[in-house]
Amino acid sequence: MARKNVTQRDIAEKCGLSVIAVSYALRGDRSNVSQATIDRVRREARRMGYDPSRSHAARRLRYQRTDTEIVNQLVALFFPFGEMHQPYWAYMFEGMQGVLAAQGFGALTCNVDVARGPFREQLPVLFRRGEVDGAIVFATEQYRDELITALREESGFRSRPIVTLMEPFEGCSSVLVDDVAVGNLQAGHLLDLGHRHLLAFRSERYNAPAVRDRIEGYSLAFRERGLDPEAGLHIWPWIWDRGIDLQEAAQQALQGHPAVTALLCPNDAMGIDLGRALSGLGYRVPRDYSMVGVDDTDVWLDRNGQNIWTTVRLPMRDIGSRAASLLLDRIAGGRPTYTSEIISPSLVVRQSTRPVRPRC
Amino acid sequence: MARKNVTQRDIAEKCGLSVIAVSYALRGDRSNVSQATIDRVRREARRMGYDPSRSHAARRLRYQRTDTEIVNQLVALFFPFGEMHQPYWAYMFEGMQGVLAAQGFGALTCNVDVARGPFREQLPVLFRRGEVDGAIVFATEQYRDELITALREESGFRSRPIVTLMEPFEGCSSVLVDDVAVGNLQAGHLLDLGHRHLLAFRSERYNAPAVRDRIEGYSLAFRERGLDPEAGLHIWPWIWDRGIDLQEAAQQALQGHPAVTALLCPNDAMGIDLGRALSGLGYRVPRDYSMVGVDDTDVWLDRNGQNIWTTVRLPMRDIGSRAASLLLDRIAGGRPTYTSEIISPSLVVRQSTRPVRPRC
DNA sequence: TTGTAAGCGTTATCAG
DNA sequence: CTGATAACGCTTACAA
């Protein structure tokens, strides 16, 4: 058990140098110390078991004199409580944790809630101390603005890097999904199978820009194939919430569109629930309706344990790890450049879609 | 914008005292300073906007001289990746966050993985710095021992408080569930409905002690009613995993026990999946089989959006908040007493159970 | 009850 | 290229 901490002074004594020379050497400051000394000091430091993390407090104290920010290896992850048990968030989180852990960073998970008062007062004390290096924010419209404002106003955080997920934000880097491509892949696949009347469910839980982009993607798929979206793209507003009678809602949607042979679902969870409801109504997927989702995070197993759910895959782990990388880059580099990274979706064809066959 | 930090010296000047007197006063050290001074200093400090969290680094630095632990308002939450998207973990997490956030504490979410090397090297650097005040550990047998050992060996953490969830551990406080009562409630309810042959699925994912206790609870329920568990309690080993053919497995289990009219499920998720598989086989719940789960975290909705799933409820939020409270108590109090708290389950009767009716 | 001196471990400044 | 000095803000030991 290393009883006493090894300090720079110990190293200095051992090397016959001054403490400050050691300080320079350890930081590799070539303009104040020779390369030879640097090497010698570093070797000795390693040998003696010098651990910079032990003297973090001293370093912090010293640096606040010059208003220099110091890396604490701690970042905050903001997300709504409701997303916690969604598989897609679990995957994103996994992606982030992988990158963060590899660098020794810790993840401070934070939830804010309008019901609990002003956001600034809900932030852990660590923020005020300036011990949080950056943040990844996954929040829906309403929360996001207020949250980011709160962070910017917190003097311990101020202008530190923020990465937003799924939506851009002024002054932040972000990791986005190409929602036009998502819609295009979904609709294109169905059109290529010969389906000509598609029903899209516009989930209210989706924020405006993403929904707009998806629909644009649908239309684009029609036009790219010389078809008229006005004629074949049917949009049904849909509130997907616990407590809704899925079968009744599904029945209603389908009866209003007898020509429809395929369904565009905004995400897997909703789509699979809907598919199950259709089965309950006596319809068969894909015999009666082809269905395609988004995410590839949920499964619909057939009796052989095979996943039959055709979907547009969003690489959630990648999104998470890209966000973390972006954040760490900005923390390390200090460059105030706001990068946006756009993640491309990909189509995963399984058995919930098949070529159209004419209605009797 | 508070450009310059207010320090104890500023307050001292304002009050015409020495810095050390202010230090004593702010900490309420009655043996070194008069109550009058304390009040005066504190009032002035508040007026000037003195913020102790700003000088945390200085305090840390000073205290490490006397090996005094200082509260950082940061605790670690350990859990397996696989549990992340389980609703029950989401609820526990919510319970913990509520308590922690109310005290300004931050939650450092940590996952360890044997595949990534020794646990000690996977810990965020914050541990080595001694900036983590305590930990809540939710890990299955295999991980738990190694993880807690790693924490104890980390010189920056050493003997700081740990609270384990669901299972006790030497030298830790813990929040436990009364699994005998869980089993007793499940089986007792079915027996009271007149069922005499119960099939229990012993999920392999459950750790040994909990499984043993549940089964003891089943037997107890029989004996309390003057019935013989040997005659009516049937146990079926069951591997519940993705990729399994649920219908086939279910078929097999039921065919082996023709007298069975009710099913004891180890948790909701598995039970509801199984119930759906039974529906697919043409059975009806509860007409053909009464089913009861554990957790009350998952729902099985009927066509009216009503949850029909009868289950034994484990108050996950309470478990989480109790664990956090236990931890904060030990962090604040410093008492090295290891408390175990046992949480009682409760029966929630819905429509997946009904009185037995004789088989044709 | 109050004040003085010293030090926690580091680094910016400036002189050699 | 190297080193002495001072300072970051706080608290313990000891003296007044």
Side-chain angles (χ1 to χ4, degrees), chain A residues 1 3 5 51 53-58 60-61 64 67 71-74 77 79 81 84-87 89-91 93-94 97-98 101 103-111 116 121-126 128-129 131 153 155-156 158 242-248 276 280-281 299 301-305 307, chain B residues 1-3 5 51 53-58 60-61 64 67 71-74 77 79 81 84-87 89-91 93-94 97-98 101 103-111 116 122-126 128-129 131 153 155-156 158 242-248 276 280-281 299 301-305 307:
Chain A
M1 205 66 73
R3 222 17 291 149
N5 260 343
D51 179 358
S53 67
R54 297 311 213 76
S55 48
H56 192 75
R60 276 188 71 73
L61 182 57
Q64 79 186 39
D67 259 343
V71 175
N72 296 281
Q73 286 168 287
L74 177 64
L77 267 36
F79 60 95
F81 265 130
M84 174 102 198
H85 64 275
Q86 304 284 352
W89 171 252
Y91 291 127
F93 182 83
E94 215 175 304
Q97 276 285 45
Q103 310 260 23
F105 273 69
L108 192 68
T109 44
C110 302
N111 309 95
R116 290 209 309 260
E121 294 168 16
Q122 294 181 41
L123 297 178
V125 177
L126 286 151
R128 206 157 51 241
R129 283 195 223 132
E131 295 184 10
E153 280 175 357
S155 63
R158 281 236 208 74
R242 208 175 135 164
I244 198 182
D245 184 338
L246 261 175
Q247 293 194 337
E248 191 179 308
R276 289 216 169 92
L281 287 167
V299 298
L301 303 180
D302 69 4
R303 45 165 50 205
N304 301 315
N307 183 12
Chain B
M1 206 65 71
R3 225 9 299 147
N5 259 344
D51 179 358
S53 67
R54 298 312 212 75
S55 48
H56 192 75
R60 276 186 72 72
L61 183 58
Q64 80 185 39
D67 259 343
V71 175
N72 296 282
Q73 288 170 285
L74 178 64
L77 268 36
F79 61 96
F81 265 130
M84 175 102 197
H85 63 273
Q86 303 284 353
W89 170 253
Y91 290 126
F93 182 84
E94 213 175 307
Q97 275 287 44
Q103 310 260 22
F105 272 68
L108 191 69
T109 44
C110 302
N111 308 96
R116 290 208 309 259
Q122 295 181 40
L123 298 177
V125 177
L126 286 151
R128 205 157 51 241
R129 282 194 223 133
E131 294 185 10
E153 279 174 357
S155 63
R158 280 234 209 76
R242 207 174 135 166
I244 197 181
D245 183 339
L246 260 175
Q247 292 194 338
E248 191 179 308
R276 288 215 170 94
L281 287 167
V299 298
L301 303 180
D302 67 6
R303 46 165 51 203
N304 301 314
N307 183 12

Side-chain angles (χ1 to χ4, degrees), chain A residues 256-292:
Chain A
H257 303 88
V260 160
T261 57
L263 310 179
L264 296 157
C265 308
N267 60 59
D268 290 344
M270 178 277 200
I272 293 171
D273 270 7
L274 177 63
R276 289 216 169 92
L278 291 180
S279 297
L281 287 167
Y283 297 108
R284 286 282 159 258
V285 175
R287 198 196 58 193
D288 302 314
Y289 292 103
S290 281
M291 297 185 74
V292 55

Side-chain angles (χ1 to χ4, degrees), chain A residues 156-174:
Chain A
F157 193 87
R158 281 236 208 74
S159 58
R160 298 193 182 183
I162 297 179
V163 175
T164 62
L165 290 176
M166 315 313 260
E167 286 181 56
F169 194 89
E170 174 79 28
C172 303
S173 296
S174 38

Side-chain angles (χ1 to χ4, degrees), chain B residues 301-359:
Chain B
L301 303 180
D302 67 6
R303 46 165 51 203
N304 301 314
Q306 290 293 319
N307 183 12
I308 61 155
W309 186 245
T310 296
T311 190
V312 170
R313 177 177 155 73
L314 303 184
M316 298 298 178
R317 279 196 196 76
D318 294 352
I319 292 174
S321 61
R322 290 308 306 143
S325 299
L326 239 46
L327 188 64
L328 293 189
D329 284 354
R330 287 216 20 230
I331 289 171
R335 285 183 315 163
T337 51
Y338 310 119
T339 327
S340 271
E341 203 147 322
I342 296 175
I343 303 285
S344 296
S346 55
L347 181 69
V348 183
V349 179
R350 298 201 182 90
Q351 282 79 54
S352 66
T353 48
R354 66 144 76 152
V356 71
R357 41 168 225 182
R359 275 290 151 78

